[in-house]
Amino acid sequence: MSLLIATTVDDALAAMAAGARPIAGGSDLVVGARHGKAPLPDSLVAIDRIAELRALDVDTSGAVRIGAGVSHHLIESHPVLVERFSALADAAALVGSPSTRHVGTIGGNVMNASPAMDTGAPLVVLGASVELRAVTGSRTMPIGELWIGPGRTAASPDELCVAVHLPAPASRCGSAYVRLEYRRAMEIAVVGAAASVTLAADGTVTSVHAALTAVAPTIIAVAGLEHLAGATVAEAAVAVGDAARQQATPISDVRASDRYRRHTIAVMAQRAVDAAARRAAGERVPVPVNRALGIGAATGGPS
Amino acid sequence: MSELIGRELTLRVNGIDHPVEVAHGRNLLSVLRTEIGLTGTKEGCDDCECGACMVLLDGEPVNSCSYLAAQAVGREITTVEGVMRGDELHPLQRNLLDEGGVQCGFCTPGMIMSATALLARTPDPTDEDIRIGLSGNLCRCTGYARIVAAVRRTAQEHGVS
């Protein structure tokens, strides 16, 4: 039984090479262990005090490096992310509750690989890549290649997720993440959709990307949207909704039936495209879109 | 790197250092209640859902039921016992009583901790801010309206710093 506190990434990697599992806030690991999902590993290395992992940097080109230990709270309140990577801020603002958002990190969310994770679909439409590092070296891969099944990633056990990289968005580009929820806090997406839309000067669509939450074994990108270049926003929204419905392979579980998910994913995808296009056109749609547009649970009391 | 299991650690709670030895996997809630004897923090769902176990870690709200006690080493832990000002109730406590925001009382310590963190960050919150700030805390008695009113009144009186 061991719990080491690492203060550098190299310390953490050395511990992981010797078999330790990383823990940041522990909100997935500790709760999962109590549920019998997986026992708490005998050997843990705490990575929540590593300065490199807590850093969020914007470079001169506008690209962003988000350290794996950056909290959802920082993401939902960071001006650059709110303004230019809005879908990710939308998602971070919907995670759990204030305490979950302070303890939970983007690295933990990404590596937990839940098909219902809120930050996943935004990262896909924003063109994110993930940086993995081990004692033996590091590699970077498109975020969509990281997830290979529910709770399963392409990372080997000795690899630590150290950062998520976001390229600078084009001008006249906007993004949004919308989820269906039954209550406003401590909720998991019934289904969710992220969209990124770039507009031409005449208001038609230059490009649109979409990705879906909780309708497949992993977060999935919506394929075959290239032909929407030149479409109006309204046409693109309908087409993305149709594609989402067709490409979804949802299951039935305690939160929703497969039929309900297949229907509602089209609605969420349309709304995500619409909100993303409004942001691309310069409209200020506050984060999170769910609250700003009254999407999801009606406004009212908590719970 | 330092190993935290199998040796005496120091947890700083409400400004006082407490020596404890923490078994692997032990959560902060159980150490606070059974080793340190601070039973104001409650165990509700033990699943990060209800917020009865809320404490502050370096001023930010944390569900202590799902946070490893050993990871709190070197951090400032604040529990509901730490918000009293001597023998005086904290304004939030008094306003919760005056507004009728306390019925069975089980959620109250967690509500106070979440509200304390909220008001430290947002001294003049809107009702929406208050509802979001308390959104990790369940109350099955009051219907929330009187709890929100107590937080609003506290902010209006003087805020919390």
Side-chain angles (χ1 to χ4, degrees), chain A residues 53-267:
Chain A
L53 299 186
R54 306 290 293 185
L56 195 164
D57 301 303
V58 185
D59 74 17
T60 51
S61 76
V64 174
R65 178 190 190 277
I66 307 176
V70 167
S71 70
H72 298 297
H73 173 74
L74 182 60
I75 292 171
E76 69 166 322
S77 56
H78 193 284
V80 171
L81 298 184
V82 167
E83 178 75 24
R84 308 213 61 202
F85 302 88
S86 316
L88 185 61
D90 286 333
L94 294 179
V95 170
S97 67
S99 58
T100 325
R101 295 195 284 276
H102 278 106
V103 170
T105 64
I106 189 155
N109 209 207
V110 162
M111 296 302 283
N112 193 48
S114 164
M117 62 183 292
D118 287 308
T119 62
L123 290 174
V124 170
V125 301
L126 294 170
S129 54
V130 61
E131 182 184 348
L132 303 175
R133 207 181 297 169
V135 169
T136 49
S138 66
R139 58 177 175 149
T140 299
M141 67 174 77
I143 192 90
E145 293 175 17
L146 179 70
W147 305 305
I148 58 175
R152 295 175 53 222
T153 72
S156 59
D158 64 337
E159 282 183 307
L160 179 68
C161 172
V162 294
V164 170
H165 296 266
L166 299 172
S171 60
R172 286 182 66 79
C173 179
S175 65
Y177 173 72
V178 175
R179 80 173 185 196
L180 179 63
E181 55 189 9
Y182 296 141
R183 56 177 182 167
R184 296 186 60 193
M186 299 310 294
E187 177 65 308
I188 295 171
V190 180
V191 297
S196 166
V197 174
T198 307
L199 295 178
D202 65 359
T204 60
V205 169
T206 305
S207 71
V208 54
H209 300 277
L212 311 177
T213 309
V215 292
T218 65
I219 302 294
I220 56 168
V222 180
L225 303 179
E226 298 78 9
H227 72 280
L228 292 173
T232 66
V233 170
E235 290 165 350
V238 170
V240 170
D242 287 346
R245 180 168 50 238
Q246 287 158 15
Q247 293 173 33
T249 56
I251 58 168
S252 294
D253 66 11
V254 65
R255 286 197 289 279
S257 68
D258 55 351
R259 285 185 61 203
Y260 185 63
R261 283 198 165 99
R262 195 179 289 281
H263 174 78
T264 53
I265 192 62
V267 179

Side-chain angles (χ1 to χ4, degrees), chain A residues 2 34-35 49 99 186, chain B residues 3 46-48 63 71 73:
Chain A
S2 173
R34 198 162 43 226
H35 282 189
R49 300 177 203 219
S99 58
M186 299 310 294
Chain B
E3 172 61 57
D46 197 25
D47 194 24
C48 237
N63 291 94
Q71 282 193 274
V73 165

